[in-house]
Each structure stands twice: as structure tokens, then as C-alpha cells.
Amino acid sequence: MSVSERQYQGILQVIECLSSGLDGREIRELAGVELLKLLRADYFASFIWTPDARRFAGHVFINMDPQNLERYSSYYQFHNPLSAKAQKFRRAVRVNEVLPQRELMRTEFYNDFLARDGLHYGLNLYVHDGDVNIADMRIWRSRRRENFDDSDLQMLDMIKPHFRNAMRNALRLHENSEHRVSSGAEMIESDRLSIERIRLAHGLTAREAQIALEIAYGKTDREIAATMGVAFSTIRTHINHLYEKLAVRNRAALVHLICA
């Protein structure tokens, strides 16, 4: 495959995001932003398959209505004519390889879910750890654009092994840190770990200490932003500063440090 300089740099930027050592949510958010640029797309969503519950969860999204995503989580993922078939390809796949566009546009899934946000042409990638689906990327263009072509598929397939390895490592880190986080929560309760104590112990501002405590309780960036009444981007900036100050690379390390 021949790629332009722009595409080559874009692929490297996505791979850099996937190699950042962040948690699974942050990895997908950062990579999603770069994928939209690389593929000249408009919308991005990513889910993690939970085999015990047999449902997609842990969604990350860009340029989509959160309420519409909640409708997907509660109803449309169970009435989705695409996902089960797209997973079988084990490669990047255009939605229209699964279902022709005209047929897709006649479905409830399209008219009452996709079209609400303007999603029209789709490109999906599901990655597996062995035979287990662990995460996906769902990239969409609006109707005003052209459909994805073979070069788009090939670029996403180049990114696939990096995405698989990043998510496999992130999920294993999450599993290994669950016990530490649980123990940390008990320590927070028993030792009355407070914002002031965190601030003094680690030389943080009061706001940074509050964010660190919210992370210890397992809240997502969006939940922390809502709790503190600030923009999501502001919380992301504070968390990056926290990582630098505390010399940690991810949430699990941060929780371990402040609960030690």
C-alpha cells in the first residue's frame, strides 16, 4: 500500500496514542481524535465487550449525543444488524460489506439511532485476544461525504495490532489493579484519607487533590467533570498535570501512590 506523507504521519500519531501507557478509556479517546483526522471522518465510538453481561459497555465517543449513546446501550445494541457480522471479518470492514447502504437505511437501527447524529457511512474494527472480542473502533462519516475506500481499510488494518496490544495490556492492568483499588477504597474509609491529607502529602493544589481522590473512588473523567462543575477538557488538563507532578503514567499507579 502506498500512503501519502499526511497519512503516514497520521498513522504514526494514532500509534503513539495507543502506545501512551494510559488506561483503556484514555487510549481510545486520544486515538479516536487522531483517527477522525486520518480517515477524514466525523464520528467515533468505541466499546468494550463484557462477556459475562453479554453486552457492549465502557463506551467512548466523539461528536455523538450522549443521550443517543445511552439509547444504544439500553436498546439498540440488542437491535444492531451490523456488530455480530462485522466481528467475524477479523479485519477492518466497511459497514456496507455487512449490509448494503440501501438496506441499512431501511432499518430501525439507522433511522432511529444512526441518523439522529448524522452517521451514514461506517467503518468498523473489532480486535480479539485469542477468540475473545475485547474492544472495537466504530468510525463514521456523514452523508455529505463519500464512503470509505480500500485505502481507509488498509490504514485501519495497519493500526489494528497496536490497538489490540494496547487494549489487551490496559484490560490486564485493570484486572490486576482492581484488588489494589478496592484495598485503596478501604484505606480511604478506614484512614479517613481526605483532600487536605492528599494535598499535604504530595504537594498538590486543593483542586488536584480533589481530582486525585475522585480517581481513587473510580470515577471517570466525565463523572469528575460533572461532580466539580467544570469542562471535561479542564479535568483532562488537571489529570495530565497530576501525572507529571506525581511521576505516574496512569490511574492505577496514581491510586496506588496516594493510598500507599
Side-chain angles (χ1 to χ4, degrees), residues 19-219:
S19 305
S20 61
L22 301 173
D23 68 27
R25 180 176 294 275
E26 292 171 310
I27 285 169
R28 290 177 292 147
E29 287 176 346
L30 294 175
V33 171
E34 298 303 324
L35 276 168
L36 292 185
K37 298 176 187 175
L38 172 64
L39 298 173
R40 292 192 167 101
D42 303 293
Y43 311 96
F44 175 86
S46 175
F47 294 82
I48 293 175
W49 175 249
T50 55
D52 292 341
R54 298 195 60 79
R55 62 183 295 133
F56 290 103
H59 61 255
V60 167
F61 60 93
I62 300 172
N63 297 335
M64 298 181 67
D65 181 1
Q67 292 185 337
N68 206 25
L69 264 294
E70 290 303 323
R71 295 170 69 248
Y72 177 86
S73 296
S74 63
Y75 178 79
Y76 279 103
Q77 69 166 301
F78 307 111
H79 300 80
N80 180 346
L82 306 173
S83 293
K85 295 178 181 178
Q87 290 182 56
K88 296 178 181 179
F89 281 76
R90 296 296 185 105
R91 62 168 173 81
V93 56
R94 279 186 297 268
V95 163
N96 295 149
E97 294 180 72
V98 176
L99 193 64
Q101 188 69 24
R102 287 187 178 181
E103 291 184 29
L104 174 64
M105 292 172 65
R106 289 197 293 265
T107 65
E108 176 190 31
F109 182 70
Y110 178 87
N111 288 288
D112 201 33
F113 172 65
L114 296 176
R116 281 177 177 255
D117 277 329
L119 285 67
H120 191 73
Y121 298 117
L123 181 61
N124 288 181
L125 174 66
Y126 294 82
V127 294
H128 298 73
D129 187 0
D131 291 328
V132 180
N133 169 32
I134 55 175
D136 60 55
M137 291 176 170
R138 309 180 190 191
I139 303 153
W140 292 83
R141 286 176 177 167
S142 67
R143 194 167 189 160
R144 62 186 174 83
R145 295 186 187 269
E146 294 182 353
N147 203 348
F148 295 97
D149 59 24
D150 288 346
S151 67
D152 297 317
L153 291 172
Q154 291 168 345
M155 285 190 289
L156 198 54
D157 275 333
M158 291 174 67
I159 291 163
K160 175 183 174 180
H162 302 277
F163 179 46
R164 180 188 60 238
N165 291 339
M167 290 306 301
R168 182 167 52 195
N169 292 338
L171 291 172
R172 287 176 180 173
L173 175 63
H174 175 72
E175 291 171 359
N176 292 336
S177 67
E178 278 186 334
H179 175 70
R180 293 198 299 271
V181 172
S182 176
S183 299
E186 293 172 3
M187 189 176 298
I188 289 170
E189 185 65 28
S190 62
D191 290 354
R192 295 182 181 179
L193 188 60
S194 66
I195 292 173
E196 184 64 11
R197 182 170 176 176
I198 295 172
R199 185 183 71 79
L200 294 175
H202 300 285
L204 305 177
T205 67
R207 172 153 289 192
E208 288 169 341
Q210 181 182 357
I211 293 171
L213 186 60
E214 298 286 2
I215 290 173
Y217 279 119
K219 289 188 177 180

